[in-house]
Amino acid sequence: MHFNEFDSIMRVYEESLDQYILPDMYIAVRLDGRSFTGLTKRMNYEKPFDVKFRDLMVDTVKALMDAGFRVVYGYTQSDEISLLFHQDEDTFGRKVRKINTTLSGEASAAFSLGLGEIATFDSRVIPLPNERKLADYFAWRQEDSKRNALQGYCYWTLRHEGKTASQASRILNKQGYKFKIDLLEDRGINFDEIPYWQRFGVGVYFKDVEREGFNPIKNEKVIAKRRELIADNNLPTGDEYREFILEFINK
């Protein structure tokens, strides 16, 4: 059998499960660290939040935003990352398999290099039909960040008091927001005064910044504008955050 004929027969099986994101859909991608609970325990990170781990996640987001896709916004909280693609992004023909495998590989490599040991991420493409749902998606992840922060502070406060993992989990099981806020306040912890990035996550995006340089021809200092990736630890929340997200689409 001629190779071209053989190739066309077999490629049907290889591509039988391929999916593509339609051109009029927005694309978000979420990546999650695999078994990061054990990893953070092994690395002896501070609980419930550690600045070194946060910075490593932010560096991973920056690497993903410079990995060949047109990513206009990145967001990280806990061990997850969300990316917003430019509306016209067409790399790999918007093939889901290629987007997922490429980004999970890039994230795993970047994080592992920064950490100094192997760590992996999974990836899922999230097609969104309109701007409202796109803004809702990122607002949802930010709300999840706040929920995780409250749960984490309550859990580790109990653990630091001597409770076992099962005892702390049992105390918090099915308890609502007020119970957890009161639990912290009874111990002198005001949840609203916890560092902002711990409650609402970190945003990463391109911004024009001024940098001082030197012109050797004129032998003088000059101010140059450069487009750089910056990490924002003080994101807006609620409806303001939705509007903030939409700015990246409408630019």
Side-chain angles (χ1 to χ4, degrees):
M1 182 183 297
H2 193 279
F3 177 78
N4 288 342
E5 182 182 356
F6 188 33
D7 183 67
S8 64
I9 291 173
M10 297 311 300
R11 195 167 295 277
V12 171
Y13 295 95
E14 183 184 57
E15 299 176 349
S16 62
L17 298 179
D18 276 347
Q19 294 176 302
Y20 298 82
I21 304 302
L22 296 173
D24 58 345
M25 301 288 282
Y26 293 98
I27 297 177
V29 177
R30 185 156 94 241
L31 300 102
D32 288 284
R34 182 174 181 267
S35 301
F36 269 33
T37 299
L39 181 147
T40 55
K41 183 177 180 180
R42 229 173 30 252
M43 300 303 295
N44 198 30
Y45 285 127
E46 185 178 346
K47 304 292 191 305
F49 291 94
D50 189 286
V51 171
K52 296 189 297 295
F53 180 80
R54 177 203 65 185
D55 291 346
L56 189 50
M57 290 296 293
V58 168
D59 287 344
T60 303
V61 176
K62 290 181 177 180
L64 293 174
M65 294 181 72
D66 193 31
F69 295 95
R70 296 174 68 187
V71 180
V72 296
Y73 179 69
Y75 173 77
T76 181
Q77 58 106 346
S78 185
D79 65 345
E80 75 170 50
I81 294 169
S82 291
L83 304 174
L84 170 59
F85 279 27
H86 189 283
Q87 188 177 6
D88 297 331
E89 173 58 63
D90 193 39
T91 303
F92 300 127
R94 298 165 74 92
K95 185 184 293 185
V96 172
R97 169 172 58 88
K98 296 289 285 186
I99 295 171
N100 279 332
T101 55
T102 301
L103 287 175
S104 61
E106 292 277 358
S108 300
F111 191 92
S112 296
L113 286 172
L115 182 67
E117 69 170 77
I118 294 175
T120 59
F121 287 79
D122 64 49
S123 175
R124 74 204 72 173
V125 172
I126 303 152
L128 297 157
N130 52 51
E131 292 185 1
R132 178 182 174 183
K133 290 298 182 185
L134 179 68
D136 283 346
Y137 168 79
F138 282 92
W140 168 48
R141 299 324 301 153
Q142 191 181 63
E143 282 297 313
D144 185 71
S145 175
K146 182 180 178 181
R147 181 185 65 86
N148 286 339
L150 180 58
Q151 178 74 12
Y153 262 93
C154 289
Y155 176 83
W156 284 105
T157 295
L158 294 171
R159 290 297 309 277
H160 293 326
E161 290 178 351
K163 299 290 191 300
T164 65
S166 59
Q167 287 172 336
S169 296
R170 188 162 55 249
I171 290 170
L172 298 174
N173 185 41
K174 297 182 180 180
Q175 296 294 346
Y177 181 82
K178 186 178 186 306
F179 175 89
K180 295 173 184 178
I181 290 293
D182 290 344
L183 183 150
L184 294 178
E185 287 185 348
D186 289 344
R187 292 156 174 81
I189 301 172
N190 185 338
F191 185 67
D192 289 336
E193 294 178 355
I194 289 169
Y196 213 78
W197 65 268
Q198 297 183 4
R199 287 178 287 150
F200 301 112
V202 181
V204 180
Y205 48 89
F206 290 97
K207 185 176 181 179
D208 290 331
V209 297
E210 293 185 345
R211 298 293 184 193
E212 185 178 281
F214 183 78
N215 187 328
I217 297 175
K218 295 184 177 181
N219 194 34
E220 63 182 14
K221 293 180 179 179
V222 295
I223 300 298
K225 283 188 176 182
R226 292 185 173 88
R227 193 165 182 260
E228 297 182 2
L229 279 171
I230 63 105
D232 189 342
N233 292 331
N234 294 283
L235 294 171
T237 61
D239 288 338
E240 288 186 18
Y241 186 54
R242 286 179 168 85
E243 293 299 320
F244 175 79
I245 293 299
L246 292 180
E247 288 179 9
F248 293 103
I249 288 297
N250 296 325
K251 283 181 180 178

PDB file of all heavy atoms in Angstrom, residues 21 25-30 82-85 99-100 103 124-128 134 137-138:
ATOM      1  N   ILE A  21     -12.798  24.643  18.749  1.00  0.00           N
ATOM      2  CA  ILE A  21     -13.616  25.728  19.284  1.00  0.00           C
ATOM      3  C   ILE A  21     -14.065  26.598  18.117  1.00  0.00           C
ATOM      4  O   ILE A  21     -13.238  27.067  17.320  1.00  0.00           O
ATOM      5  CB  ILE A  21     -12.830  26.569  20.308  1.00  0.00           C
ATOM      6  CG1 ILE A  21     -12.294  25.675  21.430  1.00  0.00           C
ATOM      7  CG2 ILE A  21     -13.716  27.675  20.863  1.00  0.00           C
ATOM      8  CD1 ILE A  21     -13.359  24.916  22.171  1.00  0.00           C
ATOM      9  N   MET A  25     -16.678  31.768  19.386  1.00  0.00           N
ATOM     10  CA  MET A  25     -16.644  31.490  20.819  1.00  0.00           C
ATOM     11  C   MET A  25     -15.391  32.089  21.446  1.00  0.00           C
ATOM     12  O   MET A  25     -14.323  32.124  20.832  1.00  0.00           O
ATOM     13  CB  MET A  25     -16.655  29.971  21.067  1.00  0.00           C
ATOM     14  CG  MET A  25     -17.858  29.244  20.508  1.00  0.00           C
ATOM     15  SD  MET A  25     -19.376  29.588  21.430  1.00  0.00           S
ATOM     16  CE  MET A  25     -19.122  28.527  22.848  1.00  0.00           C
ATOM     17  N   TYR A  26     -15.533  32.556  22.677  1.00  0.00           N
ATOM     18  CA  TYR A  26     -14.374  32.986  23.457  1.00  0.00           C
ATOM     19  C   TYR A  26     -13.715  31.762  24.081  1.00  0.00           C
ATOM     20  O   TYR A  26     -14.380  30.770  24.371  1.00  0.00           O
ATOM     21  CB  TYR A  26     -14.788  33.957  24.552  1.00  0.00           C
ATOM     22  CG  TYR A  26     -15.285  35.291  24.036  1.00  0.00           C
ATOM     23  CD1 TYR A  26     -16.653  35.548  23.906  1.00  0.00           C
ATOM     24  CD2 TYR A  26     -14.388  36.289  23.685  1.00  0.00           C
ATOM     25  CE1 TYR A  26     -17.105  36.760  23.433  1.00  0.00           C
ATOM     26  CE2 TYR A  26     -14.832  37.517  23.215  1.00  0.00           C
ATOM     27  CZ  TYR A  26     -16.192  37.750  23.086  1.00  0.00           C
ATOM     28  OH  TYR A  26     -16.635  38.956  22.618  1.00  0.00           O
ATOM     29  N   ILE A  27     -12.415  31.861  24.301  1.00  0.00           N
ATOM     30  CA  ILE A  27     -11.675  30.732  24.869  1.00  0.00           C
ATOM     31  C   ILE A  27     -11.023  31.142  26.188  1.00  0.00           C
ATOM     32  O   ILE A  27     -10.264  32.111  26.260  1.00  0.00           O
ATOM     33  CB  ILE A  27     -10.580  30.236  23.915  1.00  0.00           C
ATOM     34  CG1 ILE A  27     -11.190  29.695  22.615  1.00  0.00           C
ATOM     35  CG2 ILE A  27      -9.736  29.138  24.593  1.00  0.00           C
ATOM     36  CD1 ILE A  27     -10.142  29.253  21.593  1.00  0.00           C
ATOM     37  N   ALA A  28     -11.346  30.385  27.236  1.00  0.00           N
ATOM     38  CA  ALA A  28     -10.596  30.430  28.486  1.00  0.00           C
ATOM     39  C   ALA A  28     -10.005  29.040  28.691  1.00  0.00           C
ATOM     40  O   ALA A  28     -10.539  28.046  28.197  1.00  0.00           O
ATOM     41  CB  ALA A  28     -11.488  30.818  29.656  1.00  0.00           C
ATOM     42  N   VAL A  29      -8.910  28.984  29.405  1.00  0.00           N
ATOM     43  CA  VAL A  29      -8.272  27.709  29.720  1.00  0.00           C
ATOM     44  C   VAL A  29      -7.963  27.688  31.211  1.00  0.00           C
ATOM     45  O   VAL A  29      -7.451  28.677  31.755  1.00  0.00           O
ATOM     46  CB  VAL A  29      -6.968  27.506  28.922  1.00  0.00           C
ATOM     47  CG1 VAL A  29      -6.288  26.199  29.332  1.00  0.00           C
ATOM     48  CG2 VAL A  29      -7.237  27.510  27.422  1.00  0.00           C
ATOM     49  N   ARG A  30      -8.306  26.580  31.858  1.00  0.00           N
ATOM     50  CA  ARG A  30      -7.941  26.442  33.272  1.00  0.00           C
ATOM     51  C   ARG A  30      -6.971  25.286  33.450  1.00  0.00           C
ATOM     52  O   ARG A  30      -7.197  24.194  32.928  1.00  0.00           O
ATOM     53  CB  ARG A  30      -9.160  26.239  34.170  1.00  0.00           C
ATOM     54  CG  ARG A  30      -8.763  26.230  35.642  1.00  0.00           C
ATOM     55  CD  ARG A  30      -9.883  26.612  36.579  1.00  0.00           C
ATOM     56  NE  ARG A  30     -10.593  25.464  37.093  1.00  0.00           N
ATOM     57  CZ  ARG A  30     -11.883  25.235  36.888  1.00  0.00           C
ATOM     58  NH1 ARG A  30     -12.601  26.065  36.151  1.00  0.00           N
ATOM     59  NH2 ARG A  30     -12.466  24.179  37.407  1.00  0.00           N
ATOM     60  N   SER A  82      -5.961  30.408  35.332  1.00  0.00           N
ATOM     61  CA  SER A  82      -6.925  30.625  34.257  1.00  0.00           C
ATOM     62  C   SER A  82      -6.341  31.607  33.255  1.00  0.00           C
ATOM     63  O   SER A  82      -5.722  32.607  33.638  1.00  0.00           O
ATOM     64  CB  SER A  82      -8.247  31.180  34.802  1.00  0.00           C
ATOM     65  OG  SER A  82      -8.933  30.203  35.556  1.00  0.00           O
ATOM     66  N   LEU A  83      -6.543  31.312  31.976  1.00  0.00           N
ATOM     67  CA  LEU A  83      -6.016  32.148  30.899  1.00  0.00           C
ATOM     68  C   LEU A  83      -7.158  32.606  30.002  1.00  0.00           C
ATOM     69  O   LEU A  83      -8.073  31.836  29.715  1.00  0.00           O
ATOM     70  CB  LEU A  83      -5.012  31.368  30.057  1.00  0.00           C
ATOM     71  CG  LEU A  83      -3.818  30.740  30.789  1.00  0.00           C
ATOM     72  CD1 LEU A  83      -3.014  29.876  29.829  1.00  0.00           C
ATOM     73  CD2 LEU A  83      -2.937  31.807  31.418  1.00  0.00           C
ATOM     74  N   LEU A  84      -7.064  33.841  29.544  1.00  0.00           N
ATOM     75  CA  LEU A  84      -8.026  34.397  28.599  1.00  0.00           C
ATOM     76  C   LEU A  84      -7.335  34.605  27.266  1.00  0.00           C
ATOM     77  O   LEU A  84      -6.354  35.353  27.176  1.00  0.00           O
ATOM     78  CB  LEU A  84      -8.580  35.722  29.120  1.00  0.00           C
ATOM     79  CG  LEU A  84      -9.421  36.559  28.157  1.00  0.00           C
ATOM     80  CD1 LEU A  84     -10.631  35.774  27.665  1.00  0.00           C
ATOM     81  CD2 LEU A  84      -9.858  37.857  28.826  1.00  0.00           C
ATOM     82  N   PHE A  85      -7.839  33.948  26.229  1.00  0.00           N
ATOM     83  CA  PHE A  85      -7.263  34.083  24.892  1.00  0.00           C
ATOM     84  C   PHE A  85      -7.834  35.304  24.185  1.00  0.00           C
ATOM     85  O   PHE A  85      -8.986  35.682  24.406  1.00  0.00           O
ATOM     86  CB  PHE A  85      -7.586  32.853  24.045  1.00  0.00           C
ATOM     87  CG  PHE A  85      -6.690  31.667  24.281  1.00  0.00           C
ATOM     88  CD1 PHE A  85      -6.057  31.477  25.487  1.00  0.00           C
ATOM     89  CD2 PHE A  85      -6.488  30.735  23.285  1.00  0.00           C
ATOM     90  CE1 PHE A  85      -5.227  30.391  25.707  1.00  0.00           C
ATOM     91  CE2 PHE A  85      -5.660  29.645  23.474  1.00  0.00           C
ATOM     92  CZ  PHE A  85      -5.021  29.467  24.695  1.00  0.00           C
ATOM     93  N   ILE A  99      -4.317  22.610  22.180  1.00  0.00           N
ATOM     94  CA  ILE A  99      -4.253  23.665  23.195  1.00  0.00           C
ATOM     95  C   ILE A  99      -3.980  23.060  24.565  1.00  0.00           C
ATOM     96  O   ILE A  99      -3.098  23.510  25.307  1.00  0.00           O
ATOM     97  CB  ILE A  99      -5.561  24.485  23.214  1.00  0.00           C
ATOM     98  CG1 ILE A  99      -5.753  25.232  21.898  1.00  0.00           C
ATOM     99  CG2 ILE A  99      -5.561  25.464  24.392  1.00  0.00           C
ATOM    100  CD1 ILE A  99      -7.109  25.895  21.755  1.00  0.00           C
ATOM    101  N   ASN A 100      -4.734  22.019  24.915  1.00  0.00           N
ATOM    102  CA  ASN A 100      -4.580  21.401  26.235  1.00  0.00           C
ATOM    103  C   ASN A 100      -3.205  20.785  26.440  1.00  0.00           C
ATOM    104  O   ASN A 100      -2.557  21.001  27.474  1.00  0.00           O
ATOM    105  CB  ASN A 100      -5.655  20.326  26.443  1.00  0.00           C
ATOM    106  CG  ASN A 100      -6.988  20.912  26.872  1.00  0.00           C
ATOM    107  OD1 ASN A 100      -7.034  21.968  27.502  1.00  0.00           O
ATOM    108  ND2 ASN A 100      -8.065  20.230  26.547  1.00  0.00           N
ATOM    109  N   LEU A 103      -0.338  23.605  26.557  1.00  0.00           N
ATOM    110  CA  LEU A 103      -0.322  24.428  27.760  1.00  0.00           C
ATOM    111  C   LEU A 103      -0.015  23.620  29.011  1.00  0.00           C
ATOM    112  O   LEU A 103       0.703  24.095  29.903  1.00  0.00           O
ATOM    113  CB  LEU A 103      -1.654  25.161  27.910  1.00  0.00           C
ATOM    114  CG  LEU A 103      -1.867  26.317  26.936  1.00  0.00           C
ATOM    115  CD1 LEU A 103      -3.257  26.896  27.082  1.00  0.00           C
ATOM    116  CD2 LEU A 103      -0.815  27.407  27.136  1.00  0.00           C
ATOM    117  N   ARG A 124      -7.803  22.234  30.779  1.00  0.00           N
ATOM    118  CA  ARG A 124      -9.101  22.093  30.122  1.00  0.00           C
ATOM    119  C   ARG A 124      -9.456  23.396  29.406  1.00  0.00           C
ATOM    120  O   ARG A 124      -9.271  24.488  29.952  1.00  0.00           O
ATOM    121  CB  ARG A 124     -10.196  21.718  31.123  1.00  0.00           C
ATOM    122  CG  ARG A 124     -10.660  22.833  32.027  1.00  0.00           C
ATOM    123  CD  ARG A 124     -11.255  22.329  33.310  1.00  0.00           C
ATOM    124  NE  ARG A 124     -10.232  21.797  34.190  1.00  0.00           N
ATOM    125  CZ  ARG A 124     -10.470  21.415  35.444  1.00  0.00           C
ATOM    126  NH1 ARG A 124     -11.686  21.482  35.933  1.00  0.00           N
ATOM    127  NH2 ARG A 124      -9.490  20.961  36.204  1.00  0.00           N
ATOM    128  N   VAL A 125      -9.906  23.261  28.189  1.00  0.00           N
ATOM    129  CA  VAL A 125     -10.381  24.410  27.418  1.00  0.00           C
ATOM    130  C   VAL A 125     -11.836  24.670  27.766  1.00  0.00           C
ATOM    131  O   VAL A 125     -12.650  23.736  27.846  1.00  0.00           O
ATOM    132  CB  VAL A 125     -10.226  24.150  25.907  1.00  0.00           C
ATOM    133  CG1 VAL A 125     -10.896  25.261  25.098  1.00  0.00           C
ATOM    134  CG2 VAL A 125      -8.756  24.052  25.530  1.00  0.00           C
ATOM    135  N   ILE A 126     -12.179  25.940  27.957  1.00  0.00           N
ATOM    136  CA  ILE A 126     -13.534  26.325  28.335  1.00  0.00           C
ATOM    137  C   ILE A 126     -14.076  27.285  27.286  1.00  0.00           C
ATOM    138  O   ILE A 126     -13.700  28.466  27.268  1.00  0.00           O
ATOM    139  CB  ILE A 126     -13.551  26.980  29.730  1.00  0.00           C
ATOM    140  CG1 ILE A 126     -12.939  26.021  30.760  1.00  0.00           C
ATOM    141  CG2 ILE A 126     -14.963  27.371  30.139  1.00  0.00           C
ATOM    142  CD1 ILE A 126     -12.313  26.691  31.925  1.00  0.00           C
ATOM    143  N   PRO A 127     -14.927  26.821  26.379  1.00  0.00           N
ATOM    144  CA  PRO A 127     -15.518  27.720  25.381  1.00  0.00           C
ATOM    145  C   PRO A 127     -16.668  28.513  26.003  1.00  0.00           C
ATOM    146  O   PRO A 127     -17.517  27.950  26.699  1.00  0.00           O
ATOM    147  CB  PRO A 127     -16.033  26.754  24.301  1.00  0.00           C
ATOM    148  CG  PRO A 127     -16.291  25.479  25.026  1.00  0.00           C
ATOM    149  CD  PRO A 127     -15.354  25.427  26.199  1.00  0.00           C
ATOM    150  N   LEU A 128     -16.678  29.806  25.765  1.00  0.00           N
ATOM    151  CA  LEU A 128     -17.704  30.678  26.354  1.00  0.00           C
ATOM    152  C   LEU A 128     -18.402  31.457  25.248  1.00  0.00           C
ATOM    153  O   LEU A 128     -17.756  32.008  24.369  1.00  0.00           O
ATOM    154  CB  LEU A 128     -17.055  31.622  27.372  1.00  0.00           C
ATOM    155  CG  LEU A 128     -16.426  30.885  28.566  1.00  0.00           C
ATOM    156  CD1 LEU A 128     -15.359  31.719  29.227  1.00  0.00           C
ATOM    157  CD2 LEU A 128     -17.507  30.496  29.565  1.00  0.00           C
ATOM    158  N   LEU A 134     -18.013  35.161  29.721  1.00  0.00           N
ATOM    159  CA  LEU A 134     -16.573  35.253  29.895  1.00  0.00           C
ATOM    160  C   LEU A 134     -16.251  35.980  31.201  1.00  0.00           C
ATOM    161  O   LEU A 134     -15.423  35.512  32.007  1.00  0.00           O
ATOM    162  CB  LEU A 134     -15.959  35.995  28.715  1.00  0.00           C
ATOM    163  CG  LEU A 134     -14.450  36.202  28.754  1.00  0.00           C
ATOM    164  CD1 LEU A 134     -13.729  34.884  28.618  1.00  0.00           C
ATOM    165  CD2 LEU A 134     -14.030  37.156  27.647  1.00  0.00           C
ATOM    166  N   TYR A 137     -17.130  33.846  34.146  1.00  0.00           N
ATOM    167  CA  TYR A 137     -16.178  32.773  34.424  1.00  0.00           C
ATOM    168  C   TYR A 137     -15.077  33.262  35.366  1.00  0.00           C
ATOM    169  O   TYR A 137     -14.761  32.607  36.385  1.00  0.00           O
ATOM    170  CB  TYR A 137     -15.551  32.244  33.124  1.00  0.00           C
ATOM    171  CG  TYR A 137     -14.367  31.337  33.414  1.00  0.00           C
ATOM    172  CD1 TYR A 137     -14.566  30.019  33.812  1.00  0.00           C
ATOM    173  CD2 TYR A 137     -13.058  31.827  33.363  1.00  0.00           C
ATOM    174  CE1 TYR A 137     -13.488  29.207  34.131  1.00  0.00           C
ATOM    175  CE2 TYR A 137     -11.981  31.024  33.683  1.00  0.00           C
ATOM    176  CZ  TYR A 137     -12.205  29.717  34.062  1.00  0.00           C
ATOM    177  OH  TYR A 137     -11.132  28.916  34.402  1.00  0.00           O
ATOM    178  N   PHE A 138     -14.474  34.410  35.044  1.00  0.00           N
ATOM    179  CA  PHE A 138     -13.385  34.901  35.879  1.00  0.00           C
ATOM    180  C   PHE A 138     -13.888  35.385  37.232  1.00  0.00           C
ATOM    181  O   PHE A 138     -13.179  35.238  38.247  1.00  0.00           O
ATOM    182  CB  PHE A 138     -12.601  35.984  35.142  1.00  0.00           C
ATOM    183  CG  PHE A 138     -11.651  35.430  34.125  1.00  0.00           C
ATOM    184  CD1 PHE A 138     -12.044  35.253  32.806  1.00  0.00           C
ATOM    185  CD2 PHE A 138     -10.375  35.038  34.484  1.00  0.00           C
ATOM    186  CE1 PHE A 138     -11.181  34.710  31.860  1.00  0.00           C
ATOM    187  CE2 PHE A 138      -9.502  34.493  33.557  1.00  0.00           C
ATOM    188  CZ  PHE A 138      -9.905  34.323  32.235  1.00  0.00           C
TER     189      PHE A 138
END
